[in-house]
Amino acid sequence: MRPVLFKWLHWITFAAVLVLTPPSAFAEPQHGIAMYGRPALPPDFVSLPYSNPDAPKGGRIVFGEPGGFDSLNPYILKGTAPWGLGLHTVESLMGRSIDEPFTLYGLLAESVETDEARTWVEFTLRPEARFSDGSPVTIDDVMWSYETLGTKGHPRYQTAWAKVAKMEQTGDRTIRFTFNTEDRELALLMGMRPILKKAQWEGKTFEDAALDVPTGTGPYVVAGFEPGRYITFKRNPDYWGKDLAFNRGQHNFDEIRYDYFGDGDVVFQAFTGGETSSHRETNSAKWASHYDFASIQSGEVVKSEIENQRPSGITGFVMNTREPVFADWRVREAMLLAFNFEFINQTLNGGTEPRITSYFSNSVLAMGTGPATGKVAELLAPFAADLPPGTIEGYALPDGNAERAVDRGNLRKATKLLEEAGWTVQNGTLANAEGTPFTFELLLASGATETQSIADIYVEALKNLGIFPTVTTVDSAQYKERTNNYEFGMAWYTRALSLSPGNEQFLYWGAKGVTEPGSRNWMGMNSPAAEAMIKSMVESRSQEDFIAATQALDRVLTAGRYVIPVWFSRVSRIAHSSHLHYPDRIPLYGDWPGFQPETWWYEE
């Protein structure tokens, strides 16, 4: 799809679900809640629009994953939990529609109520809600889950919890949260926390990684596992919510299995050998040239491309500004100039993939290329003196040369910037006035073949500047440990972003992450402007103000030159068994958690 048309259609879809709602609509319990306006689906909706309510039940789907796991608690900082554990076995009060950017519908809760200013929110539990062991979900379970996650869980839960002034039971099945700050997103966030069974954790330390199988309320239970090798989920025939409209057409497989392998190449080999039934391909060149194996030719395996309308997010090499060598924006710009995107994209992808131009590119939330205007300029103006060049005036990533590994013009610009920052080449090595070499550690996770290829080309280019980084490859557990504690100079970084950014952005870019472990602020940025833009986002009362605040944040992040971005794809490429099917209607977010395997099914 052409970029202009794509953006226009995206705008229409984004805006269409934000219907103006009178204040009185929030004065009584509702079946759902939207950040702006009201939910697109009526109270009597039959199913989510992107699910097939007539999808058959049965069969299995098997995924291959690189790396391993050593914990069954995905809600803490310690350990590595298997993908899918929380998704399949645990639920929240409200469920997210991936066809709407800012909307939740009742799941464990039958209704949600809030005031016009959203100073509080109240949920009413469904009387039929049950854990997988048959015990009822109680308000006590909900209150324990929220307080435990907010005080002992992963840092991603703590920002919102700190804004709760009071949590109280207001009825046999109702719970109310009152807030201590203006933040319109909190009414939604309080509906999205996982609900755990309090009794299961009595006498145990929640913060420690453990291999105790969790008791959740979700459609699946853990049927078997071996740490680092596999985990299998079995559909619960007694699942309490199987007849809910929200779930109709979802959770169709009898069994979902994740097998773990050493690296991405082995994962692909396992798929071609028939050991797994679905494989996600991230390399467009490989998609075009390597998918001609026997099961493809016989029709046993088919290739599907699933479009999406979500932001590109950010993927690439992040520079840790806690390290003195990356503290100066001029050095970071020089590192960007040395990265010849066009050549790398041509070499690895045949030049087919679009470049990530900003954190929210490919969406209406993107900053654009010209000077800031209107509301965006007003938001940034108070911070103008402290913002890097280009934030307000306009900034674009440097253009490279697809024909040559090294772009000499960009290297000259990089050399000049490094000299201005106090770095010159001395005896073939970049060093400062004291003779200290410019060096850093580039941290990579083992098994990431494509990432290693990108790093190899980049490291060779850096030698032309007299920079000789140390490249360290570690296993997935070590990679998580080191990045959680920011023990690297540069690392491979991926951060998916949605059309509904909010409080989680404090975890991604907030100043607390400079010193507190476990945040997504790997770059160590300490930007009052970024925090002010996030605050404006969550306090916005209109779609227009929200978009302006997000575009302003996008400028702060991109012009900060913290990440050397690579590419993104407007489609998800999935090769899968011909027995696996998905609905014709693709949601706004495309192939996003909530689509595969939730809405897929097996058919002979």
Side-chain angles (χ1 to χ4, degrees), residues 518-574:
S519 80
R520 302 297 189 267
N521 186 2
W522 290 14
M523 60 279 289
M525 60 182 284
N526 185 353
S527 171
E531 294 202 334
M533 298 312 109
I534 300 169
K535 187 172 185 292
S536 181
M537 287 160 58
V538 299
E539 292 178 358
S540 295
R541 291 190 172 229
S542 72
Q543 176 195 359
E544 292 74 20
D545 286 350
F546 167 75
I547 291 174
T550 310
Q551 289 175 344
L553 174 64
D554 201 24
R555 285 177 173 270
V556 174
L557 294 171
T558 306
R561 298 148 166 101
Y562 301 111
V563 178
I564 304 168
V566 288
W567 49 79
F568 73 102
S569 179
R570 294 189 177 96
V571 300
S572 294
R573 303 176 184 89
I574 301 178

Side-chain angles (χ1 to χ4, degrees), residues 206-467:
F206 185 80
E207 306 95 307
D208 291 340
L211 291 170
D212 296 331
V213 176
T215 302
T217 65
Y220 290 88
V221 295
V222 176
F225 70 93
E226 186 174 333
R229 292 195 60 189
Y230 77 92
I231 186 166
T232 300
F233 301 95
K234 179 182 178 182
R235 186 157 56 88
N236 181 6
D238 300 318
Y239 170 47
W240 74 273
K242 60 179 179 291
D243 295 324
L244 286 183
F246 184 86
N247 290 323
R248 194 164 293 132
Q250 298 197 74
H251 320 306
N252 301 311
F253 295 105
D254 284 344
E255 180 183 309
I256 302 172
R257 179 182 172 107
Y258 297 85
D259 284 329
Y260 286 80
F261 303 92
D263 58 47
D265 287 340
V266 180
V267 171
F268 180 67
Q269 292 168 13
F271 175 67
T272 61
E275 295 181 49
T276 60
S277 54
S278 182
H279 181 75
R280 192 181 306 273
E281 181 55 65
T282 59
N283 185 284
S284 60
K286 189 174 180 180
W287 181 253
S289 62
H290 285 55
Y291 285 76
D292 57 355
F293 44 90
S295 53
I296 287 277
Q297 296 175 1
S298 69
E300 295 176 43
V301 169
V302 297
K303 297 167 65 179
S304 294
E305 295 188 0
I306 301 172
E307 294 184 354
N308 70 77
Q309 299 179 51
R310 59 181 183 264
S312 64
I314 194 73
T315 298
F317 292 120
V318 62
M319 291 171 273
N320 185 356
T321 62
R322 302 172 188 85
E323 299 288 316
V325 293
F326 292 131
D328 193 316
W329 73 265
R330 293 171 296 187
V331 171
R332 301 195 298 273
E333 175 72 3
M335 301 301 286
L336 277 157
L337 284 161
F339 187 85
N340 189 353
F341 170 81
E342 285 75 9
F343 177 80
I344 294 173
N345 190 30
Q346 182 65 42
T347 302
L348 300 182
N349 296 314
T352 60
E353 294 290 54
R355 189 180 198 177
I356 295 171
T357 55
S358 73
Y359 291 59
F360 289 93
S361 64
N362 193 51
S363 79
V364 296
L365 304 179
M367 66 179 195
T369 56
T373 59
K375 181 70 173 179
V376 176
E378 292 175 18
L379 288 167
L380 293 172
F383 307 94
D386 299 317
L387 292 170
T391 309
I392 296 176
E393 308 91 327
Y395 174 76
L397 296 169
D399 293 324
N401 188 331
E403 303 300 322
R404 298 175 181 174
V406 175
D407 187 300
R408 295 295 176 185
N410 281 344
L411 287 185
R412 285 192 293 271
K413 294 176 185 176
T415 299
K416 182 179 179 181
L417 284 168
L418 290 168
E419 288 175 351
E420 292 175 3
W423 298 94
T424 58
V425 177
Q426 304 170 25
N427 299 318
T429 300
L430 192 70
N432 60 17
E434 290 75 37
T436 303
F438 184 110
T439 188
F440 62 91
E441 181 186 32
L442 172 54
L443 185 67
L444 302 175
S446 61
T449 306
E450 184 176 69
T451 304
Q452 184 66 62
S453 298
I454 298 170
D456 289 343
I457 299 172
Y458 186 43
V459 167
E460 281 298 312
L462 289 175
K463 292 178 181 178
N464 293 276
L465 294 174
I467 299 174

